Each structure stands twice: as C-alpha cells, then as structure tokens.
C-alpha cells in the first residue's frame, strides 16, 4: 500500500497513465503546430489538417487500449512512437503531398495492428519463440526487392514491393524483427553470456561463440541493405545492434 491508500500496482498504473497522457499531449501540440504552419505557408485548404486529426484519434485509441491491457507499461514508448509518426506525416505532407493520404492509411493500419497485438494472449511469446523464422522471412522479402523492387515515385532506389496500388518497404519490418531476434537471443542466453565474458583490459566482451548467431543475422541484413544501397537504414541497423549488445 502507498501513502494514498492505493495498492502499489494501481499507483504505478495511475502514474503511467498520467505521464503517457501528458507526453502524448506534448507530441500532439508539436505535430499540430507543424501541420498548421504548413497549411498557412502553402495557403492550402483546411482539409489539409485531417492527417493530424486522424493521428490524434489513433493516439487516443492506443492510449485507451493500453490502459486496459498493459497498465504497468513504459509510459515513454507510445508518446515517442507517435511523435515520430506524426513528425513523419508532417514531413511527407511537405515534401511529397501526394503520399500523405497513403501514409495516413498506413498509420491507421499500424494502430489497428498495435491494438490487435495488445489483445493477443501470451505477451508476444509467439514473436520471441519464432524470432529467427520471422527474421528469415523479413530478410527473404528484402532480398526479393533486388529482383522485384519498385519505387512508388517512378524514379530513385527501388526499395519497395508493389501489389497494385499498395507498396511495402521490407526494410521497415526488418527493423522490428531484427530487434526481436536480438532481444530474444540475449534474454535466452543471458546466463551463458555472463559465463563467457572475456576480459580485455578494462572491458569485458562476449566470446565469439556467443556472438556468432547474432553476427550472422546482422551481417545478412547489412549485406542486403548494402546491395540495395540503402546506407541510411544500414547505419540505423548498426547503431541498434551496438546499443543492444552494449
């Protein structure tokens, strides 16, 4: 029990809700100001503010669902995610307005996916247990862009797979599955890691035997991205790999 008389779990959940709500509000203010400024500068119709309204609805729905399903979650992940999503909408609407509606639809699809996953049983155990398979499938679809890749704008790097009017960039899903693979491998082999640390001066580094599965998967991802000349994504992968290993 806390001083207020509430159980500890209820207190943590209440703090999580309030922090997340506040941070989502700050993110919403940032996204809305960007969009309003863009509409005013380009003298566009008021309907151009609709992506921000859809963004706000998605953020509110996600917040409500997670309050019920994961009351003791990290309160910073959802606001950070929606800040990046909203900022991305602002940038796409400024640089390539023709793709803004399509990006908004993908945001809605992503929100629905988040809600569905939140209601699935097992706390993402299916993602952890089959992380190598998911990562292999993601690498396979990335490899498919070498032969079947397209670019929605008609020019530039062909990093997408097209199905009619729907375009999918495999490297985006690959980010999720690479993180899931690394996280599950490190969690499952934590005791082995502690036993196989090698001291080199002031540093303690894992053995090559421990690192090999991660290096193989990571190397395949980097080779594919390098082949595509997607150096920006390759750099993100390298940074993520080093941070998770650290």
């Amino acid at each position: 029990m806390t001083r207020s008389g509430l159980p500890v779990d209820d207190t943590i959940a209440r703090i999580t809700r309030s922090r997340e709500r506040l941070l989502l509000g700050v993110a919403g203010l940032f996204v809305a100001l960007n969009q309003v400024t863009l509409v005013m500068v380009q003298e566009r119709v008021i309907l151009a503010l609709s992506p921000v309204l859809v963004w706000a609805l998605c953020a509110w729905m996600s917040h409500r669902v997670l309050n019920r399903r994961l009351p003791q979650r990290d309160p910073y992940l959802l606001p950070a995610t929606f800040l990046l999503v909203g900022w991305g909408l602002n940038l796409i609407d400024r640089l390539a307005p023709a793709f803004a509606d399509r990006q908004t639809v993908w945001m809605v699809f992503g929100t629905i996916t988040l809600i569905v996953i939140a209601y699935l049983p097992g706390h993402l155990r299916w993602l952890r247990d089959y992380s190598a398979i998911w990562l292999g499938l993601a690498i396979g679809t990335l490899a498919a862009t070498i032969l079947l890749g397209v670019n929605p704008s008609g020019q530039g790097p062909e990093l997408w797979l097209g199905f009619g009017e729907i375009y999918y960039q495999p490297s985006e899903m690959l980010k999720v599955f690479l993180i899931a693979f690394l996280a599950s491998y490190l969690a499952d082999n934590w005791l082995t890691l502690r036993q196989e640390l090698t001291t080199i001066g002031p540093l303690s580094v894992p053995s090559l035997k421990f690192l090999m599965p991660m290096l193989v998967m990571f190397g395949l991802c980097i080779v594919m991205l390098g082949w595509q000349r997607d150096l920006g994504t390759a750099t993100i992968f390298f940074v993520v790999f080093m941070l998770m290993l650290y």
Side-chain angles (χ1 to χ4, degrees), residues 60-71:
W60 177 76
M61 284 294 299
S62 301
H63 177 67
R64 289 292 301 272
V65 169
L66 293 182
N67 282 342
R68 297 176 182 177
R69 298 296 298 172
L70 297 169

Side-chain angles (χ1 to χ4, degrees), residues 160-230:
W160 289 260
L161 294 176
F163 305 94
E165 294 298 319
I166 299 176
Y167 296 93
Y168 162 67
Q169 190 172 1
S171 62
E172 296 301 322
M173 189 59 69
L174 183 59
K175 296 174 184 175
V176 177
F177 288 137
L178 177 62
I179 292 173
F181 172 79
L182 294 175
S184 62
Y185 181 80
L186 290 170
D188 292 339
N189 296 275
W190 175 244
L191 293 178
T192 303
L193 169 62
R194 296 185 64 181
Q195 294 170 359
E196 296 188 4
L197 286 175
T198 302
T199 302
I200 302 177
L203 301 177
S204 295
V205 298
S207 66
L208 184 60
K209 177 183 177 181
F210 176 84
L211 289 176
M212 188 56 67
M214 292 193 296
L215 290 175
V216 170
M217 289 298 191
F218 173 72
L220 284 174
C221 297
I222 293 297
V223 168
M224 290 296 176
L225 293 170
W227 192 308
Q228 289 186 318
R229 293 174 295 177
D230 191 359

Side-chain angles (χ1 to χ4, degrees), residues 1-16:
M1 301 289 288
T2 62
R3 291 182 179 180
S4 62
L6 293 174
V8 174
D9 289 349
D10 290 345
T11 301
I12 294 175
R14 182 173 56 82
I15 293 173
T16 296

Side-chain angles (χ1 to χ4, degrees), residues 25-47:
V26 173
L29 182 61
F30 176 82
V31 173
L33 287 176
N34 274 331
Q35 193 70 14
V36 168
T37 303
L38 177 65
V39 170
M40 294 177 62
V41 169
Q42 296 185 350
E43 298 181 350
R44 297 164 61 180
V45 297
I46 194 67
L47 190 61

Side-chain angles (χ1 to χ4, degrees), residues 125-171:
R125 185 172 295 279
W126 56 272
L127 184 60
R128 175 176 181 172
D129 292 345
Y130 304 101
S131 59
I133 296 176
W134 300 126
L135 181 60
L137 291 174
I139 293 175
T141 57
L142 181 65
T145 60
I146 296 174
L147 298 176
L148 306 174
V150 296
N151 190 307
S153 65
Q155 57 183 356
E158 298 177 342
L159 307 179
W160 289 260
L161 294 176
F163 305 94
E165 294 298 319
I166 299 176
Y167 296 93
Y168 162 67
Q169 190 172 1
S171 62

